[in-house]
Amino acid sequence: MIPRILKSSGREITVPGDKSLSHRSVLFSVLSKGKSHVSGFLEAEDPLNTMKAFTLLGLGVEKISKGEYVFTSPGKNALQSPKSELDFGNAGTGIRLSAGLLCGLSGINAKLTGDHSLQKRPMSRIIKPLISMGASISGKEDKAPLEIQGKKLSDFSYKSPIASAQVKSCLMLAAMASETSLEYEEDILSRDHTENMFRFLGNKLTFYSPVHFKMEPPYTFEAKEFKVPGDISSAAFFLVLGVLLKEGSVLVKNVGLNPSRVGILRALEAMGGKIIVHNQRIECGEPVGDLEAVSSNLRFSEIPEEWIPSLIDEIPILTIAGLFAKGGFAIRHAEELRAKESDRIIAMVENLRNLGILVHEYKDGYEIPEIGSSANSSELSAWLSGKGANISTKMDHRIAMSFMVLRAVSGIPLTPDETSWIETSFPGFESLLEGFLK
Ligand code: S3P
């Protein structure tokens, strides 16, 4: 077994605001004429890029205090075409959701781009259905940069081949901007923050099943107050750290607990991890609570396909927990991991193999026999005795943070090649983690 050396007696922390909700707070503020008040906004590169992009169309931004903003929109019909490219940096959510909104804004011309990693990510998943709605959107080989000429779109009905909240939200925002109707169906529920904010602003969705709904104009966008809770995807790093403590616990306060996001809690619990939920409440249509992760002994548990969308971003850190599980770890039905900030199947498999760990790679996941068992003990003693390894982070924040948690709980000297990507989602991660090492 890998040693567990870290102890912590009941440390309390908070994590920065939810990334998905922060992006959406900007986009719904753009749609809502007048002043919207946002608190808990994630001041990290990804949502800040979305915010900056829309200032180029006329969104007013006033910073009140850390994470607290007033966004003033002239209303969706009074926005102007931006004079320069909109740069979404590393953010798939930023570019895909914004593309939908812009496609539905008559008279707006815009070019949307991003960094090297974003320019490699698939955009056909939004381009195809948007074109079926009558949108004018193109990209070379269906990748960013994307050229958009906003126009009035048609009513549309879509059954998505993938459970993706980015695709769903892109089409919903296109329908909202263009005042057209949308019927949308997916196989497994993807995160439903867009649905929640849409309703929070006074609109109605008609559901045919939990994964099949229709929205119909007229829509109402009353500028409101959005409270963004801490991001469960960021909390996940410290929940796994808490469960992997040699002894003690960690309390992460004020975390968003939307049921479509809590797969990490279900999976850790199924693996024998003790996570206690305190102080549950509803804020701005979203469940919120405090999470206490307690030192636990983990075991293998199958992760069912239906859970995958609700823990898709947490798979790298869940894998780190799985390294400590009796019986090993496996993740399947997760081919979407190949379309994230990096190909996360390759990123995890390569880095773990580099540590001497045996990993079986599949098209849709990977499997790791129990570490220390006869099936998986090849070079273990060498890296445990201080050899350590370099970690290839592949421009991916979650890969970097996952291996830094492994280093903290085990003491194995791991050196990430670059950590600046962490700024895209979790400023302050390194100092928060160092706090546990003192
Ligand atoms: C997000 C949806 C997910 C997730 C991403 C954020 C969102 O992507 O991986 O980090 O805010 O809608 P997909 O919906 O494409 O799976």
Side-chain angles (χ1 to χ4, degrees):
M1 278 286 164
I2 304 177
R4 288 159 56 164
I5 60 163
L6 196 64
K7 297 180 187 173
S8 170
S9 53
R11 189 181 284 263
E12 278 187 30
I13 60 165
T14 54
V15 293
D18 187 277
K19 186 150 71 74
S20 294
L21 287 170
S22 296
H23 282 296
R24 287 163 174 78
S25 73
V26 174
L27 300 171
F28 277 95
S29 298
V30 168
L31 290 168
S32 309
K33 190 169 178 181
K35 290 186 188 303
S36 300
H37 185 266
V38 182
S39 57
F41 187 84
L42 171 62
E43 290 175 330
E45 285 170 12
D46 280 8
L48 286 172
N49 279 329
T50 298
M51 179 200 287
K52 273 187 221 140
F54 281 92
T55 60
L56 300 178
L57 283 93
L59 180 73
V61 172
E62 187 193 349
K63 180 165 175 162
I64 309 292
S65 64
K66 188 166 186 285
E68 189 184 356
Y69 290 84
V70 172
F71 296 133
T72 309
S73 172
K76 67 183 168 71
N77 299 325
L79 294 164
Q80 306 286 326
S81 292
K83 295 206 169 56
S84 52
E85 284 186 351
L86 307 179
D87 185 353
F88 291 91
N90 197 248
T93 308
I95 196 167
R96 293 196 180 106
L97 270 56
S98 302
L101 197 155
L102 293 167
C103 279
L105 290 177
S106 292
I108 297 288
N109 295 327
K111 186 171 180 183
L112 286 61
T113 191
D115 70 10
H116 189 62
S117 150
L118 190 59
Q119 289 190 28
K120 289 199 291 197
R121 294 179 67 184
M123 292 298 152
S124 52
R125 56 182 57 199
I126 59 160
I127 293 177
K128 278 192 191 148
L130 282 169
I131 287 178
S132 305
M133 280 175 101
S136 170
I137 174 168
S138 60
K140 197 166 158 233
E141 291 169 10
D142 284 351
K143 302 266 161 61
L146 301 172
E147 304 260 9
I148 289 176
Q149 288 88 43
K151 52 165 75 148
K152 174 80 183 165
L153 305 173
S154 323
D155 294 341
F156 187 51
S157 172
Y158 191 58
K159 177 150 178 19
S160 178
I162 40 175
S164 162
Q166 293 186 1
V167 174
K168 177 170 64 179
S169 306
C170 166
L171 302 188
M172 288 180 75
L173 286 157
M176 288 177 216
S178 178
E179 296 282 338
T180 51
S181 80
L182 173 71
E183 186 177 335
Y184 192 90
E185 187 175 2
E186 53 193 347
D187 285 338
I188 305 177
L189 183 71
S190 63
R191 63 190 67 187
D192 59 359
H193 300 301
T194 307
E195 293 91 310
N196 287 346
M197 262 194 200
F198 178 70
R199 285 181 290 208
F200 179 64
L201 291 182
N203 297 288
K204 206 175 106 216
L205 290 169
T206 307
F207 276 90
Y208 305 110
S209 82
V211 290
H212 182 189
F213 65 83
K214 187 167 187 181
M215 52 194 279
E216 283 175 290
Y219 303 128
T220 143
F221 300 107
E222 292 282 323
K224 272 216 178 169
E225 188 174 334
F226 298 109
K227 269 193 191 171
V228 179
D231 196 327
I232 191 163
S233 299
S234 299
F237 296 101
F238 292 93
L239 298 176
V240 168
L241 179 138
V243 164
L244 295 180
L245 288 170
K246 187 168 185 206
E247 56 184 64
S249 63
V250 179
L251 181 68
V252 192
K253 298 192 83 173
N254 191 39
V255 182
L257 295 178
N258 180 313
S260 64
R261 296 284 301 280
V262 297
I264 181 70
L265 305 185
R266 279 188 216 122
L268 284 174
E269 277 164 16
M271 289 163 71
K274 188 169 180 197
I275 312 248
I276 308 163
V277 182
H278 301 276
N279 195 16
Q280 274 221 58
R281 55 204 186 270
I282 300 282
E283 283 176 4
C284 299
E286 291 275 346
V288 180
D290 304 337
L291 297 173
E292 184 183 359
V294 185
S295 165
S296 312
N297 291 323
L298 301 182
R299 56 177 181 270
F300 175 86
S301 177
E302 200 184 312
I303 315 277
E305 183 173 4
E306 315 84 82
W307 291 5
I308 297 293
S310 65
L311 51 67
I312 189 76
D313 291 344
E314 289 67 71
I315 291 172
I317 187 62
L318 185 63
T319 306
I320 300 300
L323 299 179
F324 294 82
K326 195 163 174 26
F329 179 77
I331 194 89
R332 300 297 304 269
H333 317 292
E335 204 171 349
E336 268 298 297
L337 285 178
R338 296 198 184 271
K340 295 297 172 190
E341 286 82 333
S342 69
D343 177 334
R344 287 187 176 150
I345 294 182
I346 289 188
M348 292 307 289
V349 169
E350 274 184 16
N351 280 303
L352 292 171
R353 283 185 183 156
N354 193 31
L355 293 176
I357 296 173
L358 177 70
V359 188
H360 302 291
E361 179 182 347
Y362 301 100
K363 202 163 148 257
D364 63 353
Y366 44 86
E367 192 175 330
I368 307 167
E370 180 181 326
I371 303 225
S373 68
S374 56
N376 205 350
S377 59
S378 47
E379 289 179 38
L380 200 61
S381 55
W383 56 270
L384 288 182
S385 66
K387 189 175 91 172
N390 293 327
I391 299 299
S392 169
T393 58
K394 304 189 187 290
M395 289 185 83
D396 190 327
H397 54 140
R398 299 199 201 281
I399 299 297
M401 290 187 277
S402 297
F403 282 94
M404 288 162 82
V405 169
L406 175 60
R407 178 173 70 189
V409 296
S410 66
I412 297 162
L414 301 175
T415 315
D417 53 3
E418 173 69 64
T419 56
S420 61
W421 333 121
I422 295 172
E423 291 301 309
T424 61
S425 72
F426 198 160
F429 170 79
E430 290 180 67
S431 54
L432 207 49
L433 187 61
E434 271 160 28
F436 285 86
L437 303 174
K438 286 182 188 138

